[in-house]
Amino acid sequence: MTKDLYSIPDIIMSRLPVYYQHLKKLKESNKTYVSSEELAKLTGFSSSLIRKDLSYFGTFGRKSYGYDIFCLFQQIRIIMGFNYNKKIILIGAGHLGQALAYNKGYIERGYKLTAVFDKNPKLIGLVINDLEIKSISDLENYLSENKVDAAILTVPEAAAQKTADRLVAAGIKAIWSFAEVPIKVPADVLVEEQLINEGLCKLSVKMNQPRINKSEVEEDFDCEQK
Amino acid sequence: MTKDLYSIPDIIMSRLPVYYQHLKKLKESNKTYVSSEELAKLTGFSSSLIRKDLSYFGTFGRKSYGYDIFCLFQQIRIIMGFNYNKKIILIGAGHLGQALAYNKGYIERGYKLTAVFDKNPKLIGLVINDLEIKSISDLENYLSENKVDAAILTVPEAAAQKTADRLVAAGIKAIWSFAEVPIKVPADVLVEEQLINEGLCKLSVKMNQPRINKSEVEEDFDCEQK
């Protein structure tokens, strides 16, 4: 039975990396099986939600039974496309870009970082993680000669849209964007916008909750258009 | 009316950074008001979900009316605790740590990065973003003399738990963790685990969906414990 997985709901998709992270760690331990209750303790999701998510992909776990860790790990790798080889390039070799050039997470997910681009003459020609930083003016030329599946965007806000436009025009169909502004792309181009400060925001909300509850903010909020 | 905001559901909390990002951009434009429908187009959330989220915080927007952008922006800043000053330190000055030392996102969210620590003698003493990297052996001493609200953890997997243990023992109550492994902390310590490769994972899933739909993967998944 082939399920129609062409549109995995975004909410399930956002939980897959969490399952992957925990299953990876479980696989490295001596355990063979894990229950949905144990996964619930590890992930913070409810056990019924976990069973529902995994049944979406064909594993109908019953409440008192467990999941085969290795099987589930492989299943999630397959769903996430980690066994397919994908070439990825990076645009923007600033501090964050350079950190992502050294990211150890590509290989296990099937990605190979093949080129890094920047416009800064002081960076062009430098070697980071065995890759020589190329000039951004060579981008279209490179993409006409090399098959590339995705691009990482770590350029400043002001350059984000026009850089995305160039990538799309040159045939790129998938962008992992760290630009702090949303970018507009055609409907057939995939974009994942990663807000680097998302965790910082959520930490601040949580740190702030006792303050709000202690009535330090007492007026009604009402921002409705008058 | 003071709402009990002590436990904002995690699912709403995860949307707040997205609202913040878009409202920030809208505020910089000439618009005064934005409708829930426009916010829906920008964020990808449904307009009814947006109205529901915002009514949680006291703004009961009606369907044909808009929200005052500036008011909503300020409201979200207040909820997220961005107007409170928080001191944050960084542990682990590798590539990602150094990128986060240059992160421009702290100030607008009320954070001030006050110290960076590492164990590598080649890094100790270097100055990054006007901060001299301190030795990790000085951590407890620093924390006994300086009030710090949160810590950023960008250390390798193997060091993550023991570093977190040291932070907790020294009184830190909030950790923004980039360690690729979950860390265990007491119940009164907040942790935000940021998976740096989350966007990469989600991009891979989306890139893979046409493949799955094209029946390249045809067997049933069934990882239930037998």
Side-chain angles (χ1 to χ4, degrees), chain A residues 2-10 13 56-57 79 187-190, chain B residues 202 204-215:
Chain A
T2 308
K3 290 182 79 96
D4 173 15
L5 291 174
Y6 199 65
S7 50
I8 300 175
D10 213 55
M13 207 183 295
Y56 191 93
F57 300 110
I79 291 160
D188 67 330
V189 176
L190 299 165
Chain B
K202 289 167 82 173
S204 186
V205 182
K206 290 181 181 176
M207 287 163 79
N208 196 43
Q209 293 202 91
R211 248 182 243 120
I212 292 180
N213 203 37
K214 285 181 186 162
S215 312

Side-chain angles (χ1 to χ4, degrees), chain A residues 5 58 71 80 204 209 221 223, chain B residues 5 58 71 80 204 209 221 223:
Chain A
L5 291 174
C71 177
M80 295 178 87
S204 186
Q209 294 203 87
F221 292 131
C223 298
Chain B
L5 290 173
C71 176
M80 295 179 88
S204 186
Q209 293 202 91
F221 293 128
C223 298

